[in-house]
Structures are given as structure tokens and as C-alpha cells.
């Protein structure tokens, strides 16, 4: 089992940057593919990015491509989401998730087995 804790959220103005971190508890962290999801008020949860267990493949959603970067450091049991050029429409609760499908880029939340509690990102205009 993996416990996940997000950090790094906050309030920024349009054009600002934040780096989210997702710390995993398990020594087996490196065997899980990981993903970042977000959910804005009144909207469905959506995938933001995903990364395979060793970081060999990554995915970011079209809505954030060129602005967000996903990465991980398995030595630190941590995944990151670097968010640049933030826009008001990026405002949401961001959650990280772990999937047992270690070599897959999973875009659906149903593919993830463990979830963090979420961190709020608010971008003001």
C-alpha cells in the first residue's frame, strides 16, 4: 500500500509558477506509475499528467502542454508537477495518484489504486 501526500499548492497570479510535490510512503514507490489529476468546482476530475514507474515515459494533457512538466525522483519517493504560466482556468484541487500498471501511461482515474488528499491551486487574474 502507498500513502501519498501532496504539497506545494497555493495562490498565485496569472503567469505565476508553482511546483507541486507528491511524496510516497512505500519503499516500492518506484514500482508504481504515477499521475496528477485536478478537479475544479462543478467539473469532473481530469488527468493533468502521468509518468511511468522509472520516468521513461511521460504525458501531459493538451490543456497544459508547454506549461506543465511532470517528473519524479524515485530516490526521494517523490513526484513533481512544475506549473508555469498559470492561468485562472488552472484553478482546482490537484491530486496525485499511484497505479500498479507500472509501465503504462494511464489516463483514466479508474486505473489508479492510491490517491493523495489533494492540494488547492488558485490562480487569480
Amino acid at each position: 500500500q502507498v500513502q501519498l501526500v501532496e504539497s506545494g499548492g497555493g495562490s498565485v497570479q496569472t503567469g505565476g509558477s508553482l511546483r507541486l510535490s507528491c511524496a510516497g510512503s512505500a519503499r516500492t514507490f518506484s514500482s508504481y506509475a504515477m499521475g496528477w489529476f485536478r478537479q475544479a468546482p462543478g467539473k469532473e476530475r481530469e488527468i493533468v499528467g502521468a509518468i511511468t514507474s522509472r520516468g521513461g515515459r511521460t504525458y501531459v494533457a493538451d490543456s497544459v502542454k508547454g506549461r506543465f512538466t511532470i517528473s519524479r525522483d524515485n530516490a526521494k519517493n517523490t513526484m513533481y508537477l512544475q506549473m508555469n504560466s498559470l492561468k485562472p482556468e488552472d484553478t482546482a484541487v490537484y491530486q496525485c495518484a499511484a497505479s500498479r500498471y507500472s509501465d503504462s501511461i494511464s489516463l483514466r482515474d479508474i486505473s489508479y489504486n492510491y490517491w493523495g488528499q489533494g492540494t488547492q491551486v488558485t490562480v487569480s487574474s
Side-chain angles (χ1 to χ4, degrees):
Q1 190 168 356
V2 180
Q3 291 184 325
L4 303 172
V5 179
E6 302 96 337
S7 61
S11 297
V12 296
Q13 293 187 329
T14 297
S17 297
L18 287 172
R19 187 175 81 155
L20 304 184
S21 298
C22 172
S25 63
R27 289 178 294 171
T28 55
F29 179 84
S30 62
S31 66
Y32 291 88
M34 301 292 294
W36 283 104
F37 289 79
R38 69 184 181 185
Q39 187 167 22
K43 295 188 176 181
E44 292 186 356
R45 183 162 56 190
E46 63 176 356
I47 183 83
V48 178
I51 187 167
T52 50
S53 61
R54 298 189 182 277
R57 288 191 295 145
T58 62
Y59 163 88
V60 290
D62 287 343
S63 59
V64 304
K65 195 168 291 183
R67 301 188 297 121
F68 291 13
T69 304
I70 188 170
S71 63
R72 66 190 296 164
D73 184 344
N74 285 340
K76 296 181 179 180
N77 282 6
T78 303
M79 175 181 64
Y80 303 98
L81 185 68
Q82 178 66 45
M83 306 187 294
N84 299 327
S85 302
L86 283 160
K87 304 176 181 180
E89 51 263 43
D90 295 318
T91 295
V93 174
Y94 285 70
Q95 285 181 285
C96 64
S99 169
R100 297 191 187 105
Y101 301 106
S102 59
D103 292 327
S104 298
I105 293 292
S106 299
L107 304 186
R108 299 175 63 196
D109 55 7
I110 195 173
S111 299
Y112 290 83
N113 308 101
Y114 305 105
W115 292 82
Q117 83 288 352
T119 186
Q120 176 70 46
V121 171
T122 302
V123 185
S124 58
S125 58

